[in-house]
Amino acid sequence: MRQRGFTLVEVMVVLVIVGLLLSMVNLNFSDRAAQRETEQFAQKLDVAFNRYREEAVFQNLDLGVAWVPGEFNLVGFYDLRLKSVAEGLTEEELSRLSENPWAPIDAALAQSMSIPETVEIRILVNDEELDPPEEPDENGAIPALIFLSSDEYIPFVVELTHPDDESFVIRLIGDGIGPIRRRMERLDV
C-alpha cells in the first residue's frame, strides 16, 4: 500500500487561504483600534469641554479653546477695561493683550490637550467650517470655541474621523446652552 502526501500546489493553496483569512482578521482588528483611539480622544474632549463650561460659570471667567496645530489650548479672556485685570501687568503684556485679549490662564484645568496624529478634526461654529489651524502669531491664538461665564457658549460641532477606518464619525455637539453631547455615527462606505 502506497502512502500519498500533499502536492506542492495543494500546500500552496492552503497557505494562500490561511493568509487571506489572517489578513481579514488583521484589517478588522486595525479598524477597531482606529475606532477605539478616536473614541478615547472624543471622550477626553467631551469631558474637557463640559468641564471648561462649568469652570467658566464657577470662576466667572470667559474661557476659550484655541485650535492650534497638534493640540487644543485653554485660554481666558482678559478684559483690559477692568482695572482689576489690567493691574499688575507689564507694558508688554498690556500691549499684547490689547491686540488679542485671549491668553493662557492660571487655572486648575488641563491647559492643553494633544491631538493624536491619526485623528482628523473638522470644526463647525455656527454652521460654518473653520479652516485648519496655523501656527499662532506673536499675539497668541484666537479661540475656536468660547465658553462664557453666563453658562452659554458658541454653538459648535467637532467631527472626529480616522483615516484607517472611514466607516464612522464621532461628533461632539454643543447647542450653545445645554450639555455637550457625543454621538458616533456609522457611515456607508
Side-chain angles (χ1 to χ4, degrees):
M1 191 163 181
R2 213 170 117 163
Q3 287 186 330
R4 185 173 179 270
F6 295 106
T7 65
L8 183 57
V9 172
E10 292 169 331
V11 171
M12 294 290 283
V13 167
V14 169
L15 287 176
V16 166
I17 292 171
V18 169
L20 287 173
L21 289 173
L22 286 175
S23 68
M24 287 176 18
V25 168
N26 190 30
L27 285 175
N28 191 20
F29 178 75
S30 68
D31 287 353
R32 277 189 265 159
Q35 182 177 331
R36 185 174 48 252
E37 177 183 24
T38 308
E39 284 176 339
Q40 287 173 345
F41 183 63
Q43 183 178 16
K44 284 173 66 174
L45 283 180
D46 186 8
V47 168
F49 290 170
N50 279 302
R51 181 102 192 271
Y52 296 162
R53 182 174 168 242
E54 291 171 358
E55 198 68 21
V57 173
F58 293 139
Q59 298 296 328
N60 196 28
L61 297 168
D62 294 334
L63 298 175
V65 177
W67 183 25
V68 298
E71 64 185 15
F72 288 113
N73 292 328
L74 179 65
V75 292
F77 180 76
Y78 288 82
D79 188 351
L80 295 179
R81 297 173 298 174
L82 300 174
K83 186 177 180 181
S84 61
V85 172
E87 212 170 71
L89 295 176
T90 66
E91 286 297 319
E92 185 179 316
E93 291 170 325
L94 286 170
S95 174
R96 196 198 67 68
L97 287 171
S98 68
E99 294 291 323
N100 175 9
W102 295 94
I105 62 166
D106 186 24
L109 297 169
Q111 298 297 310
S112 68
M113 192 178 321
S114 294
I115 300 169
E117 290 182 20
T118 53
V119 174
E120 296 175 351
I121 296 177
R122 183 173 167 241
I123 299 178
L124 294 103
V125 174
N126 288 324
D127 296 324
E128 291 186 32
E129 185 173 354
L130 299 181
D131 293 329
E134 296 178 4
E135 286 296 330
D137 62 17
E138 65 276 354
N139 292 322
I142 303 291
L145 309 176
I146 297 174
F147 301 96
L148 302 173
S149 59
S150 62
D151 200 19
E152 298 170 299
Y153 56 92
I154 295 177
F156 67 86
V157 176
V158 176
E159 293 183 350
L160 306 172
T161 56
H162 200 290
D164 292 344
D165 183 358
E166 297 176 358
S167 69
F168 71 93
V169 61
I170 299 176
R171 290 187 175 92
L172 297 171
I173 303 165
D175 62 9
I177 52 175
I180 294 149
R181 296 169 287 128
R182 183 178 68 229
R183 186 173 68 210
M184 183 173 93
E185 294 178 19
R186 289 276 169 209
L187 305 174
D188 296 327
V189 182

Short mmCIF file of all heavy atoms in Angstrom, two decimals, residues 131-157:
data_model
loop_
_atom_site.label_atom_id
_atom_site.label_comp_id
_atom_site.label_asym_id
_atom_site.label_seq_id
_atom_site.Cartn_x
_atom_site.Cartn_y
_atom_site.Cartn_z
N ASP A 131 -11.26 76.93 9.21
CA ASP A 131 -10.07 76.49 8.49
C ASP A 131 -9.18 75.73 9.46
O ASP A 131 -9.14 76.05 10.66
CB ASP A 131 -9.31 77.68 7.92
CG ASP A 131 -10.08 78.38 6.82
OD1 ASP A 131 -10.84 77.69 6.10
OD2 ASP A 131 -9.93 79.61 6.68
N PRO A 132 -8.43 74.74 8.96
CA PRO A 132 -7.47 74.06 9.84
C PRO A 132 -6.51 75.08 10.44
O PRO A 132 -6.24 76.13 9.85
CB PRO A 132 -6.74 73.09 8.90
CG PRO A 132 -7.69 72.89 7.77
CD PRO A 132 -8.43 74.19 7.62
N PRO A 133 -5.99 74.77 11.61
CA PRO A 133 -5.18 75.76 12.32
C PRO A 133 -3.82 76.02 11.68
O PRO A 133 -3.26 75.16 11.01
CB PRO A 133 -5.00 75.14 13.70
CG PRO A 133 -5.06 73.67 13.45
CD PRO A 133 -6.06 73.50 12.33
N GLU A 134 -3.35 77.22 11.92
CA GLU A 134 -1.99 77.60 11.54
C GLU A 134 -1.26 77.95 12.83
O GLU A 134 -1.89 78.13 13.88
CB GLU A 134 -2.02 78.81 10.61
CG GLU A 134 -2.70 78.54 9.29
CD GLU A 134 -2.76 79.78 8.40
OE1 GLU A 134 -2.21 80.83 8.79
OE2 GLU A 134 -3.36 79.69 7.33
N GLU A 135 0.03 78.07 12.75
CA GLU A 135 0.79 78.48 13.92
C GLU A 135 0.33 79.87 14.34
O GLU A 135 0.21 80.76 13.51
CB GLU A 135 2.29 78.50 13.61
CG GLU A 135 2.93 77.14 13.50
CD GLU A 135 2.91 76.34 14.79
OE1 GLU A 135 2.93 76.93 15.89
OE2 GLU A 135 2.85 75.11 14.70
N PRO A 136 0.07 80.06 15.65
CA PRO A 136 -0.35 81.40 16.09
C PRO A 136 0.78 82.41 15.94
O PRO A 136 1.96 82.05 16.00
CB PRO A 136 -0.72 81.20 17.57
CG PRO A 136 -0.20 79.87 17.96
CD PRO A 136 0.10 79.10 16.72
N ASP A 137 0.41 83.67 15.74
CA ASP A 137 1.43 84.72 15.64
C ASP A 137 1.90 85.11 17.04
O ASP A 137 1.52 84.48 18.03
CB ASP A 137 0.91 85.92 14.85
CG ASP A 137 -0.28 86.60 15.50
OD1 ASP A 137 -0.52 86.38 16.71
OD2 ASP A 137 -0.97 87.37 14.82
N GLU A 138 2.71 86.16 17.12
CA GLU A 138 3.29 86.56 18.41
C GLU A 138 2.24 87.01 19.41
O GLU A 138 2.50 87.07 20.61
CB GLU A 138 4.36 87.65 18.22
CG GLU A 138 3.82 88.97 17.68
CD GLU A 138 3.68 89.02 16.16
OE1 GLU A 138 4.11 88.07 15.48
OE2 GLU A 138 3.15 90.01 15.66
N ASN A 139 1.04 87.33 18.96
CA ASN A 139 -0.03 87.76 19.86
C ASN A 139 -0.82 86.59 20.43
O ASN A 139 -1.72 86.80 21.23
CB ASN A 139 -0.97 88.73 19.16
CG ASN A 139 -0.29 90.04 18.85
OD1 ASN A 139 0.50 90.53 19.65
ND2 ASN A 139 -0.56 90.60 17.69
N GLY A 140 -0.51 85.38 20.00
CA GLY A 140 -1.19 84.20 20.53
C GLY A 140 -2.35 83.75 19.66
O GLY A 140 -2.68 84.36 18.65
N ALA A 141 -2.96 82.67 20.09
CA ALA A 141 -4.03 82.05 19.32
C ALA A 141 -5.39 82.65 19.67
O ALA A 141 -5.62 83.09 20.79
CB ALA A 141 -4.05 80.55 19.59
N ILE A 142 -6.26 82.65 18.70
CA ILE A 142 -7.65 83.08 18.88
C ILE A 142 -8.46 81.80 19.11
O ILE A 142 -8.30 80.82 18.39
CB ILE A 142 -8.17 83.80 17.62
CG1 ILE A 142 -7.28 84.99 17.27
CG2 ILE A 142 -9.62 84.21 17.78
CD1 ILE A 142 -7.35 86.14 18.23
N PRO A 143 -9.36 81.80 20.11
CA PRO A 143 -10.11 80.57 20.38
C PRO A 143 -11.11 80.23 19.27
O PRO A 143 -11.72 81.12 18.67
CB PRO A 143 -10.83 80.87 21.70
CG PRO A 143 -10.87 82.34 21.80
CD PRO A 143 -9.68 82.87 21.05
N ALA A 144 -11.26 78.94 19.04
CA ALA A 144 -12.26 78.44 18.10
C ALA A 144 -13.59 78.25 18.82
O ALA A 144 -14.65 78.47 18.24
CB ALA A 144 -11.80 77.11 17.51
N LEU A 145 -13.52 77.85 20.08
CA LEU A 145 -14.72 77.62 20.89
C LEU A 145 -14.65 78.54 22.11
O LEU A 145 -13.59 78.72 22.70
CB LEU A 145 -14.78 76.17 21.36
CG LEU A 145 -14.62 75.10 20.27
CD1 LEU A 145 -14.62 73.72 20.88
CD2 LEU A 145 -15.71 75.23 19.22
N ILE A 146 -15.80 79.11 22.49
CA ILE A 146 -15.82 80.04 23.61
C ILE A 146 -16.93 79.63 24.60
O ILE A 146 -18.06 79.38 24.19
CB ILE A 146 -16.07 81.48 23.13
CG1 ILE A 146 -14.91 81.92 22.23
CG2 ILE A 146 -16.23 82.44 24.31
CD1 ILE A 146 -15.11 83.27 21.58
N PHE A 147 -16.54 79.54 25.88
CA PHE A 147 -17.46 79.22 26.96
C PHE A 147 -17.57 80.44 27.86
O PHE A 147 -16.58 80.88 28.45
CB PHE A 147 -16.96 78.01 27.76
CG PHE A 147 -16.80 76.78 26.90
CD1 PHE A 147 -15.57 76.45 26.37
CD2 PHE A 147 -17.89 75.97 26.62
CE1 PHE A 147 -15.41 75.33 25.57
CE2 PHE A 147 -17.74 74.84 25.82
CZ PHE A 147 -16.50 74.53 25.30
N LEU A 148 -18.77 81.01 27.96
CA LEU A 148 -18.97 82.26 28.69
C LEU A 148 -19.33 82.01 30.15
O LEU A 148 -19.92 80.97 30.49
CB LEU A 148 -20.06 83.09 28.01
CG LEU A 148 -19.80 83.45 26.54
CD1 LEU A 148 -21.02 84.12 25.95
CD2 LEU A 148 -18.57 84.33 26.43
N SER A 149 -19.04 83.00 30.97
CA SER A 149 -19.36 82.89 32.40
C SER A 149 -20.87 82.88 32.64
O SER A 149 -21.33 82.50 33.71
CB SER A 149 -18.72 84.06 33.16
OG SER A 149 -19.19 85.29 32.65
N SER A 150 -21.65 83.25 31.65
CA SER A 150 -23.11 83.25 31.75
C SER A 150 -23.71 81.87 31.50
O SER A 150 -24.93 81.73 31.41
CB SER A 150 -23.69 84.25 30.77
OG SER A 150 -23.36 83.87 29.44
N ASP A 151 -22.87 80.85 31.36
CA ASP A 151 -23.27 79.46 31.08
C ASP A 151 -23.80 79.29 29.66
O ASP A 151 -24.61 78.42 29.39
CB ASP A 151 -24.29 78.94 32.10
CG ASP A 151 -24.33 77.41 32.10
OD1 ASP A 151 -23.36 76.78 31.62
OD2 ASP A 151 -25.34 76.84 32.57
N GLU A 152 -23.36 80.15 28.77
CA GLU A 152 -23.66 79.99 27.36
C GLU A 152 -22.34 79.75 26.64
O GLU A 152 -21.27 80.03 27.17
CB GLU A 152 -24.31 81.26 26.80
CG GLU A 152 -25.63 81.61 27.45
CD GLU A 152 -26.11 82.97 27.04
OE1 GLU A 152 -25.39 83.96 27.32
OE2 GLU A 152 -27.19 83.03 26.45
N TYR A 153 -22.43 79.25 25.44
CA TYR A 153 -21.24 79.07 24.61
C TYR A 153 -21.65 79.14 23.15
O TYR A 153 -22.84 79.05 22.82
CB TYR A 153 -20.51 77.76 24.94
CG TYR A 153 -21.37 76.51 24.83
CD1 TYR A 153 -21.43 75.79 23.65
CD2 TYR A 153 -22.11 76.06 25.92
CE1 TYR A 153 -22.20 74.65 23.55
CE2 TYR A 153 -22.88 74.92 25.82
CZ TYR A 153 -22.93 74.22 24.64
OH TYR A 153 -23.70 73.08 24.53
N ILE A 154 -20.67 79.31 22.31
CA ILE A 154 -20.94 79.39 20.88
C ILE A 154 -21.31 77.98 20.38
O ILE A 154 -20.58 77.03 20.63
CB ILE A 154 -19.71 79.92 20.12
CG1 ILE A 154 -19.45 81.36 20.55
CG2 ILE A 154 -19.90 79.82 18.63
CD1 ILE A 154 -18.22 81.97 19.93
N PRO A 155 -22.46 77.83 19.69
CA PRO A 155 -22.83 76.51 19.18
C PRO A 155 -21.75 75.97 18.23
O PRO A 155 -21.21 76.69 17.41
CB PRO A 155 -24.14 76.78 18.41
CG PRO A 155 -24.67 78.04 19.01
CD PRO A 155 -23.47 78.85 19.39
N PHE A 156 -21.46 74.69 18.39
CA PHE A 156 -20.40 74.08 17.58
C PHE A 156 -20.66 72.60 17.36
O PHE A 156 -21.45 71.97 18.05
CB PHE A 156 -19.03 74.26 18.26
CG PHE A 156 -18.88 73.50 19.55
CD1 PHE A 156 -18.46 72.18 19.55
CD2 PHE A 156 -19.15 74.10 20.76
CE1 PHE A 156 -18.32 71.47 20.73
CE2 PHE A 156 -19.02 73.41 21.95
CZ PHE A 156 -18.61 72.09 21.94
N VAL A 157 -19.94 72.08 16.36
CA VAL A 157 -19.86 70.64 16.11
C VAL A 157 -18.40 70.34 15.84
O VAL A 157 -17.76 70.98 15.00
CB VAL A 157 -20.72 70.21 14.90
CG1 VAL A 157 -20.53 68.73 14.60
CG2 VAL A 157 -22.18 70.53 15.11
#
